């Protein structure tokens, strides 16, 4: 339960805390958030959830998921303003709860970001293959090669220069926002209010055994109806996952205590509006009973004769997924860098390149592992593990706001959660709702991952933490 003093967390313990270049400004953080939150899912998620779970009410599902994530974002914003460090939720937990909790959160974040990079790279390869085929290149390049190529390219970009990565991010995000805007505008011209029907589709009984925790607790719950609207929200929340990675850029941000909360909240708000607008267009173009589950927007535009939009969607998906991978690699690099700097992982991973002034060693390690996972593991079947790792961090951060108000009342905060402790409590409840809607198998794999993590901590991190030397000399650690 030994806790890292706040002064140490924000840079007084070692000069390495301030050795990263400060290059991000508020607008850059908004682009960073949009880069990771808006991927190919914006073109497919609304259609799939409308067709299988929520009907036209999927619009409400996007609102519910956005509100749940905004509650967590407000909690992240307060802690990021008080503890502006690269480790994000890992460092928050180290200061507020203690070392073992910090390790657990960091281990969950490693699962989230590492697996997500591999998953998104595989999906990127699928869309890239389709785009190349549309351009007349056929199936010339295997998907595995494409996945390895994009991971290697973006890993090198992050390892060589954060500034180059930021410039590339701006260009690609602007391009994909133009593609999304085109989809919304053209789709709106085909909007038919009659396709919304009664908005809340008639409930239907379940056609199979329950495989989620909620299903085991309540039994088969069916789909559509009001329950379908709420049941679709956990799957949709996956689209918003990633806003928390904005906090990993804290040490590289000018006026981080003020800029990071603003960038996090603004990017999430913009992403929510864009997802809802796309959902409105989707269910307004085609009745939910006729939506194709595979490439729903593409199929809808083809049916309506808008063949050019098919190419726009494919290119937009490739661009969107490119920025997602870029931010995931950069975010995980900063998390592992912070853990290594504290000694809980090998300290060599916490060193900066003298030539490039970036944590290039850990970046190359992360990129290599992502390539191996994308090539060798069934990552598309483990997608929910990304979500549960993120939600676990959300849970800890939400509780951390309440605890920090009691244990660190005088800590400076540029942003405070309104109506605390009500908002953090609602964030906890919303996060738990999302978590119990995940598959039981996901919980089993997550439990196994966390058990392995605790063994690694006991065997390695516990003896090499910042407090290990003091304990060896019989000193007292701070509580």
């Amino acid at each position: 339960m030994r806790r890292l003093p706040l002064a140490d967390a924000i840079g007084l313990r070692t000069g390495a805390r301030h050795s990263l270049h400060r290059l991000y400004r508020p607008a850059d953080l908004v682009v960073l958030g949009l880069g990771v939150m808006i991927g190919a899912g914006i073109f497919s998620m609304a259609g799939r959830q409308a067709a299988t779970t929520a009907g036209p009410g999927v619009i409400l599902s996007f609102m519910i998921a956005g509100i749940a994530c905004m509650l967590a974002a407000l909690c992240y914003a307060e802690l990021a303003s008080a503890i502006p460090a690269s480790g994000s939720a890992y460092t928050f937990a180290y200061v507020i709860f203690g070392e073992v909790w910090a390790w657990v959160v960091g281990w969950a974040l490693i699962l989230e970001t590492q697996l997500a990079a591999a998953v998104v790279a595989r999906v990127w390869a699928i869309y890239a293959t389709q785009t190349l085929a549309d351009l007349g290149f056929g199936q010339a390049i295997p998907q595995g090669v494409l996945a390895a190529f994009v991971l290697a390219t973006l890993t090198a970009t992050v390892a060589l220069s954060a500034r180059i990565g930021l410039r590339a991010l701006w260009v690609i995000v602007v391009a994909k926002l133009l593609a999304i805007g085109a989809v919304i505008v053209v789709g709106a011209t085909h909007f038919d209010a009659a396709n919304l029907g009664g908005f809340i589709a008639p409930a239907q009984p379940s056609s199979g055994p329950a495989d989620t925790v909620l299903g085991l607790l309540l039994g088969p719950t069916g789909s559509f109806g009001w329950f379908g609207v709420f049941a679709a929200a956990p799957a949709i929340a996956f689209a918003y996952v990633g806003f928390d990675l904005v906090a990993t850029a804290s040490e590289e941000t000018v006026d981080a205590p003020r800029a990071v909360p603003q960038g996090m909240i603004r990017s999430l708000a913009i992403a929510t509006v864009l997802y809802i607008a796309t959902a409105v267009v989707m269910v307004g173009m085609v009745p939910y009973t006729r939506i194709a589950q595979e490439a729903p927007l593409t199929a809808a535009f083809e049916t309506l004769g808008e063949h050019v939009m098919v190419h726009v969607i494919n290119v937009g998906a490739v661009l969107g997924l490119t920025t997602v991978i870029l931010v995931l690699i950069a975010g995980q690099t900063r998390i592992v860098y912070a853990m290594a700097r504290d000694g809980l992982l090998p300290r060599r991973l916490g060193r900066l390149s003298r030539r490039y002034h970036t944590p290039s060693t850990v970046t190359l390690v992360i990129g290599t592992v992502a390539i191996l996972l994308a090539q060798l593991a069934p990552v598309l079947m483990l997608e929910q593990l990304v979500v549960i790792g993120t939600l676990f961090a959300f849970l800890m951060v939400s509780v951390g706001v309440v605890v920090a108000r009691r244990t660190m009342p005088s800590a400076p905060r540029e942003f405070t959660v309104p109506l605390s402790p009500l908002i953090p409590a609602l964030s906890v409840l919303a996060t738990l709702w999302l978590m119990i809607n995940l598959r039981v198998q996901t919980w089993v794999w997550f439990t196994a991952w966390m058990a392995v993590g605790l063994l690694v901590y006991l065997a390695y991190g516990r003896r090499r933490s910042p407090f290990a030397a003091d304990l060896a000399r019989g000193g007292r650690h701070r509580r």
Side-chain angles (χ1 to χ4, degrees), residues 115 118-119 122 369-382:
L115 186 58
V119 170
R122 286 283 294 274
V369 173
I371 291 172
L372 292 175
L373 283 174
Q375 299 297 318
L376 304 176
V379 290
L380 296 181
M381 298 175 60
L382 303 175

Side-chain angles (χ1 to χ4, degrees), residues 272-439:
T272 302
V273 170
L274 291 175
Y275 272 106
I276 292 174
T278 306
V280 171
V281 166
M282 180 70 256
V283 297
M285 291 170 62
V286 183
Y288 78 94
T289 54
R290 290 167 43 197
I291 293 177
Q293 294 187 34
E294 293 296 327
L297 262 179
T298 298
F301 278 120
E302 285 183 335
T303 300
L304 295 170
E306 297 285 358
H307 302 294
V308 174
M309 295 308 300
V310 175
H311 302 297
V312 172
I313 290 173
N314 286 334
V315 173
V318 171
L319 293 175
L321 293 171
T322 301
T323 62
V324 172
I325 300 170
L326 180 64
V327 179
L328 283 169
I329 294 174
Q332 186 184 3
T333 295
R334 272 54 182 175
I335 293 168
V336 177
Y337 165 72
M339 296 176 72
R341 187 171 57 183
D342 289 334
L344 300 185
L345 290 174
R347 290 188 181 274
R348 183 177 180 182
L349 298 177
R351 296 176 185 172
L352 298 180
S353 166
R354 292 184 178 180
R355 180 176 181 181
Y356 302 112
H357 211 70
T358 62
S360 54
T361 299
V362 68
T363 304
L364 294 176
V365 171
I366 288 169
T368 301
V369 173
I371 291 172
L372 292 175
L373 283 174
Q375 299 297 318
L376 304 176
V379 290
L380 296 181
M381 298 175 60
L382 303 175
E383 184 179 71
Q384 282 198 358
L385 275 174
V386 175
V387 181
I388 196 170
T390 307
L391 294 178
F392 180 77
F394 286 5
L395 198 65
M396 294 295 295
V397 168
S398 300
V399 175
V401 169
V402 179
V403 175
R405 290 279 185 97
R406 294 179 177 272
T407 59
M408 301 168 14
S410 60
R413 294 170 172 85
E414 291 290 338
F415 177 89
T416 56
V417 177
L419 301 177
S420 182
L422 176 61
I423 295 299
L426 291 176
S427 178
V428 168
L429 293 176
T431 301
L432 288 174
W433 166 259
L434 297 176
M435 294 180 79
I436 64 175
N437 275 275
L438 297 174
R439 292 192 298 266

Side-chain angles (χ1 to χ4, degrees), residues 40-422:
I42 197 168
F43 300 119
S44 60
M45 188 166 293
R48 290 174 183 169
Q49 292 302 314
T52 61
T53 308
V58 73
I59 298 170
L60 293 178
S61 301
F62 272 91
M63 294 180 182
I64 293 169
I67 291 171
C69 290
M70 183 59 75
L71 293 172
L74 292 173
C75 296
Y76 262 92
E78 175 167 330
L79 296 187
S81 72
I83 313 171
S86 284
S88 183
Y90 154 76
T91 305
F92 304 161
Y94 211 157
V95 173
I96 298 169
F97 298 110
E99 186 174 282
V100 68
W101 291 105
W103 170 266
V104 167
V105 172
W107 193 248
L109 291 175
I110 290 174
L111 173 67
E112 170 203 348
T113 50
Q114 186 71 75
L115 186 58
V119 170
V120 178
R122 286 283 294 274
V123 178
W124 183 93
I126 294 172
Y127 277 97
T129 300
Q130 182 61 51
T131 302
L132 290 173
D134 291 342
L135 295 175
F137 293 99
Q139 304 289 330
I141 307 177
Q143 290 183 6
V145 174
L146 287 172
F149 166 77
V150 70
L151 284 169
T153 301
L154 297 179
T155 296
T157 301
V158 175
L160 294 178
S161 174
R163 194 173 301 278
I164 293 175
L166 178 59
R167 290 172 180 171
L169 186 66
W170 265 96
V171 172
I172 301 175
V173 167
V174 169
K176 76 174 178 180
L177 289 179
L178 291 174
I180 293 167
V183 168
I184 294 172
V185 171
V186 176
T189 64
H190 297 282
F191 182 88
D192 184 354
N195 291 331
L196 301 181
F199 197 67
I200 303 300
Q204 296 181 9
S206 176
S207 59
D211 64 348
T212 66
V213 174
L214 182 64
L216 291 181
L217 295 175
L218 302 181
T221 51
S223 56
F224 301 104
W226 277 104
F227 187 86
V229 170
F230 283 93
I236 289 170
F238 178 73
Y240 300 123
V241 165
F243 69 84
D244 52 309
L245 293 180
V246 174
T248 64
S250 292
E251 289 182 34
E252 299 161 272
T253 300
V254 178
D255 192 17
R258 185 185 302 272
V260 171
Q262 292 176 356
M264 197 179 307
I265 294 171
R266 289 172 181 173
S267 62
L268 178 57
I270 294 171
T272 302
V273 170
L274 291 175
Y275 272 106
I276 292 174
T278 306
V280 171
V281 166
M282 180 70 256
V283 297
M285 291 170 62
V286 183
Y288 78 94
T289 54
R290 290 167 43 197
I291 293 177
Q293 294 187 34
E294 293 296 327
L297 262 179
T298 298
F301 278 120
E302 285 183 335
T303 300
L304 295 170
E306 297 285 358
H307 302 294
V308 174
M309 295 308 300
V310 175
H311 302 297
V312 172
I313 290 173
N314 286 334
V315 173
V318 171
L319 293 175
L321 293 171
T322 301
T323 62
V324 172
I325 300 170
L326 180 64
V327 179
L328 283 169
I329 294 174
Q332 186 184 3
T333 295
R334 272 54 182 175
I335 293 168
V336 177
Y337 165 72
M339 296 176 72
R341 187 171 57 183
D342 289 334
L344 300 185
L345 290 174
R347 290 188 181 274
R348 183 177 180 182
L349 298 177
R351 296 176 185 172
L352 298 180
S353 166
R354 292 184 178 180
R355 180 176 181 181
Y356 302 112
H357 211 70
T358 62
S360 54
T361 299
V362 68
T363 304
L364 294 176
V365 171
I366 288 169
T368 301
V369 173
I371 291 172
L372 292 175
L373 283 174
Q375 299 297 318
L376 304 176
V379 290
L380 296 181
M381 298 175 60
L382 303 175
E383 184 179 71
Q384 282 198 358
L385 275 174
V386 175
V387 181
I388 196 170
T390 307
L391 294 178
F392 180 77
F394 286 5
L395 198 65
M396 294 295 295
V397 168
S398 300
V399 175
V401 169
V402 179
V403 175
R405 290 279 185 97
R406 294 179 177 272
T407 59
M408 301 168 14
S410 60
R413 294 170 172 85
E414 291 290 338
F415 177 89
T416 56
V417 177
L419 301 177
S420 182
L422 176 61

